[in-house]
């Protein structure tokens, strides 16, 4: 992922809330890579709203840099999942940030719903 | 409206796409002020998707400045409206930007729909 | 603060990273209210980069709702401050989210720098 | 480019200002592809602030869709350039939007500055 100009602020670095946008891109890519797109999950009546988000910032990402987001998923319970993220700058392998998000698994009516087995297998 | 840090970029000024977000805030405020909130319009099955957006940038808005958006609406046809915007810095009355947006008036199925008379009266 | 259309996502609620933008607006307002604008602090060579950000989401904020951000600051050390936030919907006093951010206090060269006494007094 | 969840709004489509962020990504990629990164141009004391931005929206881009931005640059004068954009959905080759931006060419002090020959050659 390459840092967009729009993502910088006047400090000359990436504005802190944008890391959470990157986290979303990373977890979506992880799900898609596992054959389970979030778009299809929504079409099947699932949603994964964020109930907790956290990020520790180590070094600043800058405009036009390549950054890589390493992501993994953990099943906390049948109706709750956690994704962990590491933002790395491949140029020098520096870890720029680490974070996590926790998501409820809900059905269309907003009630907790167990993830299908197929998807649960994706999580450690 | 006060310029948010998130809205700046590393040039130290407001990133250009954010003026369009301000335009949206301004036209929503105009509608609400006229007793016709966009939220209620959506609940009534209307939507006003943007079909054209334009902005001329004169001077840069900067972090923490107060800016004022002057807005007016024009009915182009029963199913098309245009909003015009002027971004002014009250501190020195400088005009920072001017722009407009054109919107289709659609019903829930995405077909053109005439605005109710009550709302058409709001437009010049 | 009124929720902007731009801040919603296709789930129909405020996208999760936007709460961190609101946090920034709230802490900036707090500082300004205490006679110490962040803009002036930057002009004096200080910066307060975020080193940690956290948010717990309780209920969703929706388009056009009024939300209120309650904020307080705590001095963790002479060179580190923490802000705490509560996002409240005044209409029913529901707490929509709670979060915090931790900031380093740096000088222009990026080295830790003690906050001036005048500003330290603002923090509990 | 794949549409991010953050880029959608509650209408279920990409929020209109985000096309201008994509335009920036596309013109940056075009410059880089031509061996002339905008980052380097800034380091050399150039800036290309936007003085005009325009977009015509034809069809909505949706979450998780792949979109392609076709871009070309035109030299309007030695100190003014124009980029044109077409947002295409490769899946069905539909043109979702067309737009352009006009940029001043400035030096560090904010005065108009001629683009170096090497860079002017990139423009039609």
């Amino acid at each position: 992922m390459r840092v967009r100009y729009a993502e910088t602020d006047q400090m000359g670095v990436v504005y802190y809330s944008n890391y959470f946008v990157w986290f979303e891109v990373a977890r979506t890519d992880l799900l898609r890579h596992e054959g389970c797109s979030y778009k299809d999950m929504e079409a099947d009546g699932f949603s994964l709203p964020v109930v907790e988000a956290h990020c520790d910032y180590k070094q600043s990402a800058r405009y036009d840099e390549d950054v890589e987001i390493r992501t993994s998923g953990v099943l906390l319970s049948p109706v709750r999942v956690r994704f962990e993220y590491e933002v790395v700058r491949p140029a020098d392998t520096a870890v720029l940030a680490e974070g996590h998000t926790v998501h409820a698994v809900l059905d269309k009516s907003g009630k907790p719903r167990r993830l299908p087995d197929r998807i649960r297998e994706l999580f450690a």
Side-chain angles (χ1 to χ4, degrees), chain A:
Chain A
M1 202 143 38
R2 194 177 282 272
V3 175
R4 301 174 174 185
Y5 208 91
E7 293 170 340
T8 63
D9 64 26
Q10 69 178 34
M11 228 183 256
V13 298
V14 172
Y15 185 71
Y16 82 123
S17 75
N18 290 319
Y19 289 78
F20 293 98
V21 177
W22 295 352
F23 289 174
E24 174 240 303
V25 174
R27 66 180 175 260
T28 302
D29 282 352
L30 177 67
L31 288 174
R32 184 186 309 106
H33 184 74
E34 299 291 345
C36 152
S37 86
Y38 186 62
K39 192 182 188 176
D40 292 344
M41 286 181 67
E42 279 201 336
D44 289 345
F46 283 100
S47 69
L48 293 178
V50 180
V51 295
E52 184 186 324
H54 184 91
C55 187
D56 293 305
Y57 304 87
K58 315 284 188 189
Q59 289 189 50
S60 299
R62 292 178 179 278
Y63 170 56
D64 210 41
E65 283 183 346
D66 266 313
V67 294
E68 193 180 293
I69 322 286
R70 296 177 186 158
T71 316
S72 59
V74 184
L75 197 67
L76 298 181
S77 84
V79 296
R80 187 153 292 219
V81 297
R82 177 184 166 112
F83 289 92
E84 300 190 341
Y85 314 92
E86 209 180 38
V87 180
V88 176
R89 183 170 52 208
D92 61 358
T93 71
V95 175
L96 305 182
E98 289 174 337
H100 69 263
T101 54
V102 177
H103 302 253
V105 185
L106 301 183
D107 65 14
K108 266 185 181 158
S109 66
K111 287 188 191 144
R113 175 172 167 186
R114 296 170 70 93
L115 278 173
D117 289 348
R118 185 178 61 84
I119 297 173
R120 289 172 60 181
E121 282 165 12
L122 308 179
F123 293 93

